[in-house]
Amino acid sequence: MRTVLDARTSSGYGSRGRRGIHAILDVETALAAADTAARLRDRVAAGENVSGPAARRALTAAAHTPRFEGRIVPRTFARKASTFLARDGIVLYDNSDAFLICAFKHDNALCEPEPGATAPRQYDCRPGCGNTVRTNTHARQLRERADELDQLAAHSPGPVSKRLRANANRLRETADTHDTTAHTAEALT
C-alpha cells in the first residue's frame, strides 16, 4: 500500500462504517486504476493496438484519467477516490489473471457485481464480457501462458494433460482473436 495507516484509520478496521480501512482501499483502488490508465496510454503511444468491445471507451477514459506520479495523499483524497470510482464505465481495472483490462461498466459486466458496486469481481472475469479491452501485450502474455501450459501438459497424466492442452488452445485462440480484431488508437478515436 502506498498510504500510511495512522491511529485514526486503524481504529476503524473493526467498525461497520465506511471509514477506516474502507477509505484506504478506495484510495488504493483509485490509484491502481489511474496506474492502469497510464499504462494503457503508454502502450498505445508506443504503437500497440487494442481490441475488445470496450476499447474505444477505455481509450477515452485513459486520455482523461490523471497520472499519479507520487505525492502525499491528503485525508480529503478518500472522498475524491470514492467519487472517481463511482464513474461507471470510465474506470479501468487491470486484471492480470485474465490478461485484460476491464473498462468497468456495471450494466455490461458478466461478473455479476453487487448492485451499486463500483468495481468488477476480478476473480469472476468471464469471456465475452462487454467491458474487456486487450492490448498486444496481453496477447503476448496469453501466448506465453499457453506455452507454459503445454510444457506442464507434457509432464502430466492423460486427463490432466488433455485439460491443460485445451486451456492452452483457448488462450491462443483469444490471442489470435485480438490479432485479427485489434485497431490502432487513431482508428478507434
Side-chain angles (χ1 to χ4, degrees):
M1 291 183 129
R2 297 170 226 206
T3 53
V4 177
L5 301 178
D6 62 13
R8 292 179 306 262
T9 302
S10 61
S11 66
Y13 280 6
S15 72
R16 300 180 76 138
R18 189 77 179 142
R19 331 179 334 244
I21 192 67
H22 299 291
I24 296 297
L25 293 176
D26 282 350
V27 168
E28 289 299 318
T29 303
L31 292 174
D35 287 345
T36 298
R39 276 192 308 278
L40 180 60
R41 272 194 311 266
D42 293 345
R43 287 177 181 171
V44 168
E48 287 200 33
N49 296 336
V50 293
S51 69
R56 182 173 284 122
R57 189 165 26 102
L59 291 173
T60 302
H64 293 97
T65 301
R67 184 183 294 265
F68 178 77
E69 295 184 348
R71 62 184 173 130
I72 296 175
V73 179
R75 184 183 349 202
T76 58
F77 190 73
R79 191 174 330 109
K80 291 177 184 175
S82 294
T83 302
F84 174 79
L85 295 174
R87 301 176 327 146
D88 192 38
I90 312 175
V91 182
L92 305 178
Y93 296 91
D94 184 28
N95 190 340
S96 58
D97 293 332
F99 306 104
L100 58 82
I101 294 172
C102 177
F104 181 70
K105 187 170 187 177
H106 197 279
D107 295 341
N108 296 351
L110 294 181
C111 60
E112 299 176 4
E114 297 292 324
T118 59
R121 292 183 181 194
Q122 290 185 306
Y123 58 85
D124 195 18
C125 194
R126 299 182 189 177
C129 182
N131 291 334
T132 60
V133 179
R134 283 199 172 84
T135 64
N136 295 348
T137 299
H138 293 116
R140 181 183 45 77
Q141 291 170 339
L142 284 162
R143 287 186 177 91
E144 288 170 0
R145 181 65 181 141
D147 292 343
E148 291 171 9
L149 292 177
D150 280 337
Q151 289 176 358
L152 286 172
H155 304 290
S156 299
V160 173
S161 176
K162 190 182 248 184
R163 262 183 276 146
L164 289 170
R165 290 188 199 286
N167 285 336
N169 289 336
R170 201 174 3 237
L171 292 175
R172 283 191 188 91
E173 287 172 10
T174 302
D176 291 344
T177 299
H178 165 78
D179 291 342
T180 59
T181 62
H183 299 284
T184 63
E186 293 81 25
L188 291 173
T189 54

